[in-house]
Amino acid sequence: MTDLVALKAANADRWARAKLTRSFSSGAKRLVAPGAKARYQAVTARTGVPWFFVAVAHEREASQNWNTQLGQGDPLGSVSVHVPKGRGPFKTWEDGAYDALVNCAPFAARNHDWSIGGTLTMLERYNGLGYAARGKPSPYIWSGTDQYVSGKYVRDGVYDARVVDQQPGCAGLLLSMMEFDPTITFVGTTIPARKPSLTPKPPPPVPSIAAPAQGSIGAFFVALFKSLFGRK
């Protein structure tokens, strides 16, 4: 089983070091265009999933074709035959996107970690964790950056180390989108640090005749009395 915490850390580290090896500008401009962004934001309003996550998934799955299902790129008006299978048909692209994010694994609408590591890992989970299981960077995420060289699942369960993925990777798309839309930010979940639970010290005893305050005249006479009469 893939360690998702480790994968998030690995993806965040790759992001910090990544450099583009080809241009993503054309696709990035389309994804952040006002009309497209408005449609992605409408899905965000229904699901809570950041609009830019929806945008890059749409590009990767269907080259931003609005007549397809977000989940796998199958035709919007037909029942899907690729994973996730059996979805649809849908009347609108937004309805298909809602279904993919809310009702289909890995259920992005339930995610609360939208840090860069969390975002990229959620995108990778939609494509599958076969690359992570091999210790390889996923081309779904890193194609078109210096974090990826070669290797691709050419069909279900068949990995070819020689094949180079030619599609734009999600990380490269995001890097380019941020150049045109600086409102894109990544916010992770943080758990407030718990303050240490301190056991309160018991209050000092109240001075009395039998137990006067230390250093007081009463304490002097008690000590004198004990020394004269041998009381301890």
Side-chain angles (χ1 to χ4, degrees):
M1 182 177 293
T2 301
D3 184 339
L4 294 179
V5 174
L7 183 57
K8 287 180 183 182
N11 278 330
D13 180 64
R14 289 170 182 147
W15 172 269
R17 296 183 285 111
K19 293 181 175 58
L20 298 180
T21 56
R22 63 176 185 260
S23 176
F24 287 74
S25 295
S26 177
K29 286 180 180 178
R30 284 190 287 100
L31 295 176
V32 303
K37 182 177 177 179
R39 296 189 73 171
Y40 297 136
Q41 288 177 320
V43 174
T44 297
R46 295 175 64 184
T47 65
V49 177
W51 71 269
F52 47 83
F53 178 100
V54 183
V56 296
H58 190 200
E59 178 69 15
R60 180 73 197 197
E61 293 295 336
S63 300
Q64 206 186 23
N65 185 336
W66 298 99
N67 294 312
T68 62
Q69 299 182 34
L70 180 67
Q72 68 302 86
D74 284 352
L76 193 64
S78 303
V79 177
S80 63
V81 296
H82 297 95
V83 179
K85 296 180 180 180
R87 314 308 301 180
F90 301 101
K91 291 183 178 180
T92 68
W93 178 84
E94 285 80 1
D95 288 343
Y98 176 90
D99 180 72
L101 299 170
V102 173
N103 300 323
C104 301
F107 307 103
R110 303 179 190 177
N111 184 45
H112 298 290
D113 180 6
W114 296 110
S115 64
I116 187 57
T119 297
L120 294 175
T121 298
M122 180 55 68
L123 285 164
E124 186 167 346
R125 290 175 68 190
Y126 263 95
N127 181 244
L129 296 175
Y131 298 100
R134 290 175 172 271
K136 302 288 186 180
S138 168
Y140 191 87
I141 307 299
W142 300 106
S143 179
T145 77
D146 61 355
Q147 300 302 300
Y148 169 76
V149 177
S150 65
K152 181 177 173 64
Y153 280 94
V154 293
R155 56 184 180 274
D156 290 348
V158 180
Y159 177 81
D160 191 328
R162 301 165 297 175
V163 174
V164 178
D165 193 325
Q166 297 302 317
Q167 286 184 269
C170 296
L173 285 168
L174 287 170
L175 284 167
S176 295
M177 288 166 65
M178 292 171 72
E179 294 179 5
F180 300 108
D181 190 335
T183 67
I184 296 173
T185 56
F186 304 96
V187 180
T189 53
T190 57
I191 301 174
R194 294 182 60 186
K195 293 182 179 180
S197 178
L198 299 177
T199 302
K201 293 181 179 180
V206 178
S208 64
I209 295 176
Q214 187 175 1
S216 65
I217 295 176
F220 170 77
F221 282 111
V222 168
L224 178 63
F225 180 81
K226 288 181 179 181
S227 65
L228 291 174
F229 295 96
R231 294 183 59 184
K232 295 183 180 180

